[in-house]
Amino acid sequence: MNLEIKALIAQADRAIKEERFDDLMEFYTDDAVLIVKPGLEAKGKQAIKNAFIKIAEYFKNSVVPTQGNMVMIEAGDTVLVLSQTLLDAENKESSDYSMDRRATYVFRNINGKWLCAIDNSYGTSLLD
Amino acid sequence: MNLEIKALIAQADRAIKEERFDDLMEFYTDDAVLIVKPGLEAKGKQAIKNAFIKIAEYFKNSVVPTQGNMVMIEAGDTVLVLSQTLLDAENKESSDYSMDRRATYVFRNINGKWLCAIDNSYGTSLLD
């Protein structure tokens, strides 16, 4: 387990909860990709920030993500994180999307700093 | 879909089937990690090659991997591949491991060449 990455994910979750989306962008590479929902990608910090603003609106500004069980596979400057991601929101009962996910994140070490390059909270369920 | 990576995975599957493990190592980065089975990693080409030799023995030299449905998420020089991986083997009925998997592979572009850095055929099932 890469504890630095684990701490970064916890900080990012807190930034999402508090809707500090400019701070949140500090966790991503410049060419990062976020899977907004199956079939929809946001590429680059500006698009990712806009997507998070829309996600917050969808969940009526009440999103609280937390990570459960986590496994990391570390290959030099590249780390694959598998993580049980729990999303809580006031209107979660009416969400079209699963609130209990098995996410896949790819982190890269760039100039000594770990950054998220791929943020796919849907994991392998994109194969459904 | 990155067709170059799709072709590389097909070539690697053929090398596994034909037990050309030196050729197979050409697909990996120097510090690549293979998840041999849940809880067991092979790190680096020599360890990965040895693991493939043991896997071939376990399956009585009859392993045939093929990929089904595939999704790729591309962020610059880093690609996350989600793939339905089917393993066939003469003794598959007695295997302790699933023969129908949802794999997660991470490819990196290094000096213009796509190489596999993380080979995790177990996908998010490592969270079980």
Side-chain angles (χ1 to χ4, degrees):
Chain A
M1 183 75 72
N2 182 312
L3 295 178
E4 194 178 336
I5 291 175
K6 194 178 180 191
L8 288 171
I9 293 171
Q11 289 167 30
D13 283 345
R14 205 156 47 237
I16 292 169
K17 181 186 172 208
E18 296 170 1
E19 300 191 8
R20 290 182 285 104
F21 298 126
D22 284 318
D23 293 348
L24 183 61
M25 289 314 106
E26 298 297 311
F27 296 98
Y28 289 95
T29 62
D30 288 337
D31 53 10
V33 173
L34 168 75
I35 303 298
V36 182
K37 58 185 181 184
L40 182 63
E41 289 186 350
K43 282 195 181 227
K45 292 190 184 202
Q46 191 57 54
I48 292 173
K49 185 181 162 184
N50 292 344
F52 271 108
I53 291 169
K54 284 190 187 155
I55 291 166
E57 285 169 0
Y58 180 86
F59 287 116
K60 303 188 189 304
N61 303 90
S62 66
V63 177
V64 182
T66 51
Q67 314 294 318
N69 192 12
M70 200 179 271
V71 169
M72 294 192 194
I73 305 167
E74 187 157 355
D77 59 7
T78 304
V79 172
L80 174 62
V81 180
L82 312 172
S83 184
Q84 188 185 22
T85 298
L86 303 157
L87 279 186
D88 199 7
E90 284 170 18
N91 57 337
K92 65 182 174 185
E93 302 304 333
S94 63
S95 166
D96 288 337
Y97 307 103
S98 172
M99 307 300 277
D100 183 353
R101 303 179 186 176
R102 295 176 138 203
T104 48
Y105 310 124
V106 180
F107 278 76
R108 302 276 341 285
N109 194 308
I110 295 170
N111 300 327
K113 209 168 139 53
W114 287 104
L115 295 167
C116 182
I118 297 171
D119 182 344
N120 168 30
S121 67
Y122 297 90
T124 56
S125 77
L126 294 182
L127 292 169
D128 286 340
Chain B
M1 181 76 72
N2 183 312
L3 295 178
E4 193 177 336
I5 291 175
K6 194 179 180 190
L8 289 171
I9 293 172
Q11 289 166 32
D13 283 346
R14 203 155 49 238
I16 291 169
K17 181 187 171 205
E18 296 170 1
E19 300 190 9
R20 289 182 284 104
F21 298 125
D22 283 319
D23 294 349
L24 183 62
M25 290 313 105
E26 297 297 311
F27 296 98
Y28 289 95
T29 62
D30 288 337
D31 53 9
V33 173
L34 168 75
I35 303 299
V36 183
K37 58 185 181 184
L40 182 62
E41 290 186 351
K43 281 195 180 226
K45 292 190 184 202
Q46 192 57 54
I48 291 173
K49 185 180 162 186
N50 292 344
F52 271 109
I53 291 169
K54 283 190 188 155
I55 290 166
E57 285 170 0
Y58 179 86
F59 287 116
K60 302 189 190 301
N61 304 89
S62 67
V63 177
V64 181
T66 52
Q67 313 294 317
N69 192 14
M70 199 179 271
V71 169
M72 294 192 195
I73 305 166
E74 187 157 355
D77 60 7
T78 305
V79 173
L80 174 62
V81 180
L82 311 172
S83 185
Q84 187 185 22
T85 298
L86 303 157
L87 278 187
D88 199 8
E90 285 171 17
N91 57 337
K92 64 183 173 183
E93 303 303 334
S94 62
S95 165
D96 288 337
Y97 308 102
S98 172
M99 306 301 276
D100 183 353
R101 303 178 185 177
R102 295 176 137 203
T104 48
Y105 311 123
V106 180
F107 279 75
R108 302 278 341 286
N109 194 307
I110 295 170
N111 301 324
K113 209 168 140 53
W114 287 104
L115 295 168
C116 183
I118 297 171
D119 182 345
N120 168 29
S121 68
Y122 298 89
T124 56
S125 77
L126 294 182
L127 292 169
D128 286 342

